[in-house]
């Protein structure tokens, strides 16, 4: 029996060492230490032994069982450690790898240009006004000296919502709204950046939605020279100190006299090139002295007060400043275009 137990022990320990997984270990455990295992079997046969032999064999059997158990436990531990090691290795993180860059948004070039325009005019003593994008026929046209049958309404094809409501075709209605609020008392000195809408077919230079910035200055003794001085200062700050402006006679129903303002071409410095169509000048905005009738309609005494107004296309200014050849770029949100303005 002693030899039998020793042989079992040897066998079991060999198998324990060969066990490659917890499942194998468990199998050896069941095979040798289980209720139906060979050791139990040996112990069962102890009845046949003498009284002297019995405790000796019993103690040996227990010893063998304990040793097998200890070995199997040890094997389990080793296997568990190995498995953990393996897992750690396969899941290891290389902290020296460079991170994945996340792309950060940029300020939209139009927003950047509006902010720049605002900064310049704030520096010239203007404050910032606003008005609704859905406008009444009255403020968009009538209060600006454009009665219903006026032919100049055709200058701006409009998106009408009802007979009396439309998407504003210009930021000029905010002139009338602001003057009304001041109840005939000056000064009024605002700029109004905002979206406007016209029924244009979109192409490289037209967009059915675009941005304007309106300017309005009403006070006693405001003269045309004030208009010229303010806009010259703006042009030099926005485009560069070497640029100059010129005024050409024009027509708007709400200003008299009216002018179109050109800035000297930044490409050829006035000598004529493809960009300025050989004229040396580029048209940038419309302006004029506020028509007395417009002042009166908005509650200002035109004998006491005078004023000027101007309106400029923001996309056009941005296109000239940053050499952009298609207005649709501002509205298609192509990241390859937008990210070029990171530093603006
Ligand atoms: N509202 C005019 C336009 O959209 C521009 C303008 C504004 C002209 C103010 C004169 C004075 O064409």
């Amino acid at each position: 029996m002693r030899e039998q137990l020793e042989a079992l022990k040897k066998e079991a320990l060999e198998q324990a060492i060969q066990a490659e997984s917890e499942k194998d270990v468990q199998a050896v455990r069941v095979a040798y230490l289980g209720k139906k295992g060979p050791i139990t079997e040996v112990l069962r046969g102890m009845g046949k032994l003498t009284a002297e032999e019995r405790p000796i064999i019993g103690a040996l059997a227990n010893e063998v069982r304990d040793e097998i158990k200890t070995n199997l436990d040890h094997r389990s531990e080793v296997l568990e450690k190995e498995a953990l090691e393996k897992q750690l290795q396969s899941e290891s993180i290389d902290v020296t790898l460079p991170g994945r860059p996340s792309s950060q948004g940029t300020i939209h070039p139009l927003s950047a240009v509006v902010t720049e325009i605002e900064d310049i005019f704030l520096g010239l003593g203007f404050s910032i006004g606003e008005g609704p994008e859905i406008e009444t026929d009255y403020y968009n046209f009538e209060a600006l000296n454009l009665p219903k049958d006026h032919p100049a309404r055709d200058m701006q094809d409009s998106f009408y919502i009802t007979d009396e409501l439309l998407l504003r075709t210009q930021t000029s209605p905010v002139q009338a709204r602001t003057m009304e609020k001041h109840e005939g008392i000056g000064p009024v000195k605002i700029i109004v950046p905002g979206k406007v809408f016209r029924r244009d077919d979109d192409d490289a230079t037209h967009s059915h939605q675009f941005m304007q910035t309106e300017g309005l200055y009403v006070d006693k003794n405001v003269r045309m020279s004030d208009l010229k001085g303010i806009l010259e200062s703006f042009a030099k700050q926005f485009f560069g100190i070497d640029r100059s402006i010129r005024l050409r006679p024009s027509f708007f129903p709400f200003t008299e006299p009216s002018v179109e303002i050109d800035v000297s071409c930044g490409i050829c410095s006035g000598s004529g090139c493809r960009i300025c169509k050989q004229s040396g000048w580029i048209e940038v905005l419309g302006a004029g002295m506020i028509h007395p009738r417009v002042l009166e309609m908005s509650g200002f005494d035109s004998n006491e007060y005078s004023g000027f107004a101007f309106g400029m296309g923001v996309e056009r200014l941005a296109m000239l400043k940053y050499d952009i050849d298609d207005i649709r770029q501002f509205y298609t949100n192509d990241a390859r275009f937008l990210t070029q303005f990171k530093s603006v």
Side-chain angles (χ1 to χ4, degrees):
M1 242 177 198
R2 187 188 296 272
E3 289 84 56
Q4 218 181 333
L5 281 170
E6 292 289 352
L8 277 174
K9 181 172 108 180
K10 199 171 159 231
E11 226 178 272
L13 295 192
E14 253 163 41
Q15 285 194 26
I17 286 194
Q18 277 160 22
E20 287 299 337
S21 66
E22 184 54 36
K23 209 171 141 203
D24 292 351
V25 173
Q26 197 55 26
V28 179
R29 202 184 289 275
V30 171
Y32 287 90
L33 306 178
K35 275 196 188 112
K36 289 175 190 154
I39 295 182
T40 317
E41 194 74 5
V42 171
L43 291 174
R44 224 173 259 146
M46 292 236 296
K48 292 178 201 137
L49 298 173
T50 62
E52 294 89 63
E53 270 177 329
R54 216 173 286 154
I56 298 167
I57 295 297
L60 181 66
N62 280 337
E63 227 171 77
V64 166
R65 173 189 274 155
D66 284 351
E67 206 172 329
I68 293 174
K69 194 172 171 298
T70 311
N71 270 269
L72 286 171
D73 288 350
H74 178 68
R75 186 68 192 151
S76 269
E77 254 170 57
V78 169
L79 285 173
E80 200 180 326
K81 237 191 219 155
E82 272 177 17
L84 183 66
E85 203 89 332
K86 221 172 168 182
Q87 192 187 0
L88 282 179
Q89 234 159 48
S90 69
E91 288 178 2
S92 70
I93 297 165
D94 181 353
V95 292
T96 65
L97 274 180
R100 268 187 219 126
S102 59
S103 56
Q104 204 182 9
T106 51
I107 303 282
H108 193 281
L110 272 185
S111 305
V113 167
V114 168
T115 305
E116 194 181 352
I117 295 170
E118 287 176 350
D119 282 349
I120 294 171
F121 281 103
L122 286 171
L124 292 167
F126 286 74
S127 49
I128 294 162
E130 60 177 8
E133 287 167 12
I134 295 175
E135 190 51 282
T136 60
D137 185 89
Y138 175 78
Y139 284 114
N140 197 79
F141 292 124
E142 279 188 54
L144 297 169
N145 200 26
L146 270 149
K148 280 214 167 9
D149 55 356
H150 198 290
R153 282 194 179 207
D154 293 344
M155 282 164 74
Q156 301 173 1
D157 270 328
S158 322
F159 287 112
Y160 272 92
I161 296 165
T162 66
D163 278 353
E164 289 304 318
L165 282 179
L166 71 159
L167 300 182
R168 67 179 177 195
T169 59
Q170 48 189 353
T171 42
S172 302
V174 190
Q175 286 186 32
R177 286 182 174 275
T178 311
M179 282 192 278
E180 270 185 12
K181 271 198 205 121
H182 276 74
E183 296 180 340
I185 300 161
V188 185
K189 203 174 178 188
I190 54 158
I191 58 157
V192 184
K195 293 191 192 102
V196 300
F197 308 85
R198 291 185 197 175
R199 281 178 8 151
D200 263 329
D201 288 330
D202 293 356
D203 61 25
T205 52
H206 295 86
S207 171
H208 60 280
Q209 177 196 311
F210 59 105
M211 287 196 77
Q212 284 189 332
T213 296
E214 193 81 7
L216 172 73
Y217 180 26
V218 181
D219 206 348
K220 291 169 184 165
N221 299 319
V222 176
R223 289 161 308 201
M224 193 103 182
S225 53
D226 296 314
L227 169 66
K228 193 177 174 195
I230 290 281
L231 289 177
E232 184 162 25
S233 172
F234 166 74
K236 285 182 183 299
Q237 289 185 66
F238 186 80
F239 288 112
I241 195 76
D242 54 328
R243 309 288 280 272
S244 48
I245 62 166
R246 76 172 181 185
L247 278 60
R248 274 184 295 114
S250 184
F251 170 80
F252 298 102
F254 33 92
T255 46
E256 182 59 37
S258 301
V259 289
E260 211 96 49
I261 295 188
D262 300 340
V263 61
S264 58
C265 180
I267 305 290
C268 63
S269 305
S271 59
C273 68
R274 192 178 54 83
I275 300 298
C276 59
K277 299 193 184 100
Q278 309 305 329
S279 72
W281 296 93
I282 295 167
E283 181 192 324
V284 287
L285 56 92
M289 301 309 289
I290 300 167
H291 197 295
R293 205 176 293 154
V294 173
L295 284 171
E296 296 286 344
M297 269 191 283
S298 299
F300 274 82
D301 182 347
S302 62
N303 292 316
E304 204 184 341
Y305 283 98
S306 58
F308 68 70
F310 58 84
M312 46 196 169
V314 177
E315 287 83 354
R316 185 162 165 74
L317 291 178
M319 287 166 82
L320 288 171
K321 180 159 173 159
Y322 297 111
D323 210 3
I324 298 162
D325 61 5
D326 195 322
I327 193 170
R328 289 167 293 195
Q329 292 277 26
F330 293 113
Y331 294 103
T332 41
N333 284 333
D334 186 331
R336 290 169 299 183
F337 170 73
L338 297 176
T339 52
Q340 292 176 45
F341 296 88
K342 257 198 179 112
S343 57
V344 172

